Amino acid sequence: MKNLNELTNQLRVLNEQAMVALSIAPELTRGVEAIQRKREQLEKWARQERVKAPDAGRIHTALVTFFRVKNIQDIRHARYLCFGCTESVLPNSTSLLDHSSLFDELLKFVKSAQKEMRAFRLMYRGLLNAYFSVHPEIKELSKAAIASWVKLRDFLFENLLHIRDVNKPRDWIEYLHFNHEVLSEKPCDKFGKSLLEGNAIQVNEAKQQLNITDASWFMKLLVNAQVDAACVAEDGLFKELIPKLFELLKTHSLLLDRNLAKILDRYFKCAAAPQHLALRDFAVDHWKNPWLSTNQHKWARVEENTKTQITRWLKEKFIKQFFTFLADDGNNDQRRVAFWMQYTDQIEQMYFAFGRTALENRSIDFKQMRQEMQGLTFKLEAGGVPSNNAFIMKIRDVVIVEFGTTGNATYFFNASKPLPFNLSNAHQPGPLWGLYGDGRMLKNWSSPAFIDKLSHGGSWEYNFSYFLKNSL
């Protein structure tokens, strides 16, 4: 016990002496801390290894010289070529990517310098900068340039280990080592989910470490990544994200077709896919009418069921619009709306002939309606009052003509016989073609194609149904 007490006292004395030493040398302590901070700053600076791109003029000269003499002079020359290999400064606005043999020669030279770590790393960094400057999905490239670009991406991936020095780590190399997906066929996928959630930390780190500018294809393909992330989410979350995705696509028109197709097809794979007005209108605004042949190249991007559903929704919208905006009874004419909605899937074609009132109406609703109906419209001539309009439908071999104003019967024609009017003119460019709303065309009961006309009096729905059942 005595020995233990002595030891305790000795430790107390030593501690007091150490505290006194510190209290009489504060300047020394601060000096040591300052040296430590400076050392940390220098280590950080060394790890960052900021590589500045060479002067544009020197890059241009290096490219032109290489193209002319077909020879790489030295490592400095090669470094300039690495930074400039995607620049279109060679004859016919081509780049080194377009000249496969020259590009292969450059990669061969760079690879031969693997044992010279610093030189190899500088050339590698130039190639990395070039890689982020162009992408086949964003910029149209020749077949040769696409093949070279793929070689560039593969070269960067395959040589990652040759630029890494675990004893002298560099931040951008360490980042690239642990985030090598940026050198894959799906370089942005890992960032999509976090961006959708409003978190840009990962993207900002990638930009900082790899010197990615806002003009890079990487920033644009992040749009694809977000759409892809949304499309693999569960149904409820995906539907919630649709408005955000549309806002994203509005500012990236080059990526719109690819991503709109993905969103449309994903929506119709939901367990419940009721009519989605914003989805329908966004698709039609950008791809136009899905059943017109002039628009098929865009709608071919989606599955047939997707196109069928949007077609049905748009036909239903047009039927409602005609009997709301273009008919005398307006919102009260729900009987005709309900009747023709039954035939939505059977209506193969529909056309509209606008009277003067509808053509001259400058309200937002009418402007939008005329825009959406583009390729389906005529000018109604001799239709009686200026507010009259006509709605023309084709179901199998029967063409049906409805009018907007009261007092007009519905006319039925046999489409297998020569019609007294030409509906194909609706697809012609330029001013609207005219359709006469009298006995010359739409009411031509003397035409060989004329079948019958029915009025809307009494229980007209039964008469119409009976007639169509026996005519179709």
Side-chain angles (χ1 to χ4, degrees):
M1 188 66 177
K2 179 180 179 182
N3 292 337
L4 182 60
N5 289 335
E6 289 179 354
L7 179 61
T8 301
N9 291 332
Q10 290 175 6
L11 288 173
R12 185 182 301 110
V13 171
L14 287 173
N15 184 54
E16 290 173 354
Q17 290 175 346
M19 292 301 295
V20 170
L22 286 175
S23 66
I24 63 175
E27 292 299 326
L28 178 61
T29 303
R30 285 195 293 270
V32 171
E33 292 174 350
I35 292 171
Q36 181 63 30
R37 286 196 300 270
K38 191 64 177 178
R39 177 182 177 182
E40 292 173 356
Q41 290 172 0
L42 289 171
E43 288 177 347
K44 183 178 181 181
W45 178 82
R47 286 176 60 89
Q48 289 176 342
E49 191 182 49
R50 298 299 179 191
V51 179
K52 185 179 180 181
D55 176 73
R58 292 182 179 180
I59 290 176
H60 182 275
T61 300
L63 289 166
V64 172
T65 301
F66 181 43
F67 183 79
R68 187 178 71 252
V69 303
K70 309 295 189 289
N71 181 55
I72 299 175
Q73 299 169 359
D74 51 30
I75 286 177
R76 176 178 291 183
H77 187 199
R79 179 169 174 261
Y80 292 162
L81 295 177
C82 289
F83 273 93
C85 65
T86 60
E87 296 187 12
S88 303
V89 297
L90 299 179
N92 300 316
S93 298
T94 57
S95 72
L96 276 186
L97 296 183
D98 294 291
H99 303 276
S100 303
S101 59
L102 293 180
F103 186 71
D104 290 347
E105 188 65 27
L106 173 61
L107 293 185
K108 182 180 178 181
F109 184 94
V110 175
K111 190 174 182 66
S112 69
Q114 280 182 352
K115 293 181 179 179
E116 300 178 52
M117 174 69 80
R118 185 174 184 279
F120 182 71
R121 199 157 58 204
L122 287 173
M123 290 186 286
Y124 185 101
R125 188 60 189 259
L127 291 173
L128 186 65
N129 274 31
Y131 167 74
F132 282 115
S133 69
V134 65
H135 192 286
E137 286 190 40
I138 303 301
K139 182 181 179 181
E140 186 175 353
L141 300 176
S142 67
K143 289 183 178 180
I146 293 174
S148 295
W149 186 87
V150 172
K151 288 180 183 177
L152 170 60
R153 183 190 65 199
D154 293 346
F155 181 90
L156 292 170
F157 179 80
E158 291 165 2
N159 286 277
L160 262 176
L161 290 178
H162 297 292
I163 61 170
R164 191 174 185 232
D165 185 346
V166 292
N167 296 316
K168 295 179 181 179
R170 298 293 184 267
D171 285 349
W172 70 272
I173 296 174
E174 294 302 297
Y175 179 86
L176 194 57
H177 179 77
F178 290 105
N179 296 274
H180 54 78
E181 297 90 348
V182 298
L183 301 176
S184 71
E185 292 183 0
K186 295 184 177 180
C188 301
D189 277 14
K190 69 177 297 179
F191 306 98
K193 188 173 183 295
S194 60
L195 275 180
L196 271 180
E197 295 169 350
N199 183 357
I201 293 176
Q202 286 184 317
V203 171
N204 290 336
E205 184 182 10
K207 289 176 64 179
Q208 179 184 0
Q209 295 294 346
L210 304 179
N211 196 31
I212 299 173
T213 67
D214 288 336
S216 170
W217 57 259
F218 183 84
M219 301 306 294
K220 297 177 177 63
L221 290 192
L222 286 172
V223 175
N224 292 358
Q226 291 179 76
V227 172
D228 292 347
C231 287
V232 298
E234 54 87 20
D235 290 357
L237 177 57
F238 166 72
K239 291 177 181 178
E240 290 179 11
L241 290 171
I242 288 177
K244 182 174 183 177
L245 297 179
F246 285 165
E247 288 302 313
L248 195 61
L249 295 184
K250 286 178 182 178
T251 56
H252 294 84
S253 58
L254 289 176
L255 305 172
L256 188 142
D257 288 344
R258 179 262 191 198
N259 289 300
L260 177 56
K262 293 207 69 166
I263 294 168
L264 289 172
D265 283 339
R266 171 64 180 87
Y267 182 79
F268 290 108
K269 287 182 172 62
C270 291
Q275 184 162 162
H276 194 298
L277 302 185
L279 190 69
R280 177 199 65 195
D281 292 344
F282 189 88
V284 172
D285 283 347
H286 292 89
W287 287 358
K288 307 306 177 187
N289 192 306
W291 68 83
L292 289 182
S293 59
T294 53
N295 303 324
Q296 291 313 298
H297 63 290
K298 290 188 178 292
W299 287 98
R301 296 173 178 272
V302 297
E303 296 176 7
E304 192 60 32
N305 177 61
T306 299
K307 178 183 169 185
T308 299
Q309 294 295 339
I310 298 293
T311 296
R312 177 185 294 117
W313 292 354
L314 188 59
K315 287 178 179 178
E316 290 177 353
K317 179 180 182 178
F318 286 170
I319 291 171
K320 291 177 181 178
Q321 284 182 325
F322 181 83
F323 294 112
T324 300
F325 297 133
L326 303 174
D328 266 356
D329 292 337
N331 289 321
N332 295 320
D333 197 357
Q334 294 304 304
R335 288 176 65 182
R336 285 203 284 178
V337 171
F339 180 81
W340 290 115
M341 288 283 271
Q342 301 174 86
Y343 294 89
T344 300
D345 291 335
Q346 298 179 56
I347 297 175
E348 301 166 13
Q349 300 173 24
M350 55 173 60
Y351 300 90
F352 303 88
F354 293 141
R356 192 177 73 212
T357 301
L359 287 173
E360 295 177 355
N361 193 308
R362 295 292 178 261
S363 69
I364 294 176
D365 288 338
F366 269 80
K367 285 182 178 179
Q368 183 176 348
M369 179 181 66
R370 289 193 297 266
Q371 178 67 26
E372 290 178 347
M373 292 180 177
Q374 192 173 17
L376 306 173
T377 55
F378 295 89
K379 180 180 179 181
L380 184 63
E381 307 276 10
V385 295
S387 61
N388 196 16
N389 305 280
F391 177 23
I392 304 145
M393 297 164 271
K394 181 179 181 295
I395 302 177
R396 297 185 190 174
D397 285 334
V398 178
V399 173
I400 305 136
V401 181
E402 278 270 29
F403 290 94
T405 55
T406 56
N408 285 286
T410 298
Y411 287 73
F412 299 85
F413 297 89
N414 187 341
S416 64
K417 297 180 178 180
L419 295 171
F421 42 84
N422 186 357
L423 295 175
S424 64
N425 286 334
H427 310 312
Q428 301 298 323
L432 295 181
W433 286 69
L435 285 183
Y436 288 100
D438 56 16
R440 284 171 284 182
M441 288 188 178
L442 299 183
K443 294 183 179 180
N444 191 337
W445 54 269
S446 61
S447 167
F450 176 76
I451 302 175
D452 204 349
K453 65 175 183 177
L454 300 175
S455 68
H456 299 90
S459 300
W460 61 267
E461 291 94 337
Y462 173 81
N463 297 330
F464 274 52
S465 296
Y466 181 81
F467 174 84
L468 289 171
K469 181 179 179 181
N470 290 282
S471 299
L472 297 177

